[in-house]
């Protein structure tokens, strides 16, 4: 803890990497928008694996329906974009996501039948892109195959800007270094994590 940490034992200290993380869940007011039919799952067993235990889906033959998330980015930078879904055999194998970021957009196809090691909900990384502070960025999910037998799941999205190593050049006298730590501090404020401060090694 903070009372016993020293430079001599810093190598034995473990913790989380500092980051700035923004998660937008389905239905978040002012941060999500849907076009078309996106009812919520009524299967409580399956929904238990969703982020915050609920998710909407699209499973009809009407083409062009969309679900969008608009994250509130608090600082400029490159963010990893992850999307969350609950896998099942009737999911789309090519759920079409589009990430709109500063300077462009990129389309991704996600196999929502794919599971991970724990067999629950899956966070799938789409890629890393530059985002400007504010709400100009957006992640949009299309209805994919537009089929009455195949579901497209719209659960949550997550943007993460990880802290990176900063090296002080030998001839540099002094400068300010900044680290994204919003995710850690939010955990303290929520009461989810103990506040042991930061370690800069």
């Amino acid at each position: 803890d903070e009372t016993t940490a020293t430079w001599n034992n810093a190598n034995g200290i473990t913790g989380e990497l500092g980051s700035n993380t923004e998660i937008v869940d389905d239905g978040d007011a002012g941060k999500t928008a849907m076009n078309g039919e996106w009812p919520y799952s009524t299967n409580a067993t399956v929904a238990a694996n969703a982020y915050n235990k609920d998710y909407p889906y699209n499973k009809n033959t009407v083409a062009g329906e969309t679900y969008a998330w608009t994250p509130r980015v608090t600082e400029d930078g490159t963010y990893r974009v992850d999307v969350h879904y609950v896998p099942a055999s009737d999911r789309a194998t090519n759920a079409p996501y589009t990430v709109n970021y500063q300077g462009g957009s990129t389309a991704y196809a996600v196999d929502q039948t794919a599971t991970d090691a724990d067999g629950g909900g899956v966070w799938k990384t789409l890629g890393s892109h530059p985002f400007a502070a504010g709400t100009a960025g957006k992640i949009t999910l299309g209805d994919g195959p537009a089929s009455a037998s195949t579901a497209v799941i719209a659960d949550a999205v997550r943007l993460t800007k990880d802290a990176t190593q900063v090296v002080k050049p030998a001839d540099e006298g002094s400068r300010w270094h900044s680290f994204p730590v919003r995710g850690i501090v939010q955990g303290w404020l929520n009461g989810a994590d103990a506040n042991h401060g930061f370690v800069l090694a």
Side-chain angles (χ1 to χ4, degrees):
D1 63 29
E2 63 270 24
T3 64
T4 59
T6 69
W7 289 114
N8 291 330
N9 66 17
N11 288 335
I13 297 174
T14 59
E16 64 177 303
L17 179 68
S19 68
N20 186 341
T21 302
E22 171 75 2
I23 298 177
V24 183
D25 193 16
D26 55 83
D28 281 359
K31 297 182 179 182
T32 57
M34 66 178 180
N35 168 41
E37 187 177 281
W38 295 86
Y40 275 83
S41 171
T42 57
N43 186 327
T45 301
V46 176
N49 293 317
Y51 186 80
N52 282 333
K53 303 188 184 310
D54 63 10
Y55 66 89
Y57 65 94
N58 184 276
K59 194 176 184 180
N60 61 37
T61 58
V62 180
E65 299 181 330
T66 59
Y67 199 99
W69 300 261
T70 301
R72 181 178 60 86
V73 177
T74 57
E75 62 178 324
D76 295 350
T78 298
Y79 288 78
R80 185 181 69 252
V81 180
D82 305 310
V83 295
H84 196 269
Y85 66 88
V86 180
S89 59
D90 70 338
R91 307 307 195 217
T93 59
N94 58 347
Y97 290 88
T98 301
V99 180
N100 292 279
Y101 48 86
Q102 186 178 31
S105 65
T106 301
Y108 296 91
V110 173
D111 181 359
Q112 293 188 334
T113 67
T115 60
D116 61 9
D118 66 13
V122 177
W123 281 108
K124 171 67 176 177
T125 299
L126 301 184
S128 295
H129 300 287
F131 286 82
T135 56
K138 181 182 292 186
I139 296 87
T140 303
L141 172 63
D143 56 1
S147 167
S149 61
T150 304
V152 176
I153 307 304
D155 192 3
V157 301
R158 178 175 66 193
L159 268 62
T160 305
K161 177 184 178 182
D162 289 321
T164 56
Q165 181 177 351
V166 178
V167 178
K168 176 184 176 298
D171 59 350
E172 184 177 77
S174 65
R175 63 169 292 189
W176 287 101
H177 296 287
S178 62
F179 304 90
V181 295
R182 178 171 171 256
I184 294 175
V185 175
Q186 191 62 58
W188 299 343
L189 295 175
N190 293 345
D193 301 304
N195 180 352
H196 293 301
F198 300 108
V199 174
L200 302 179

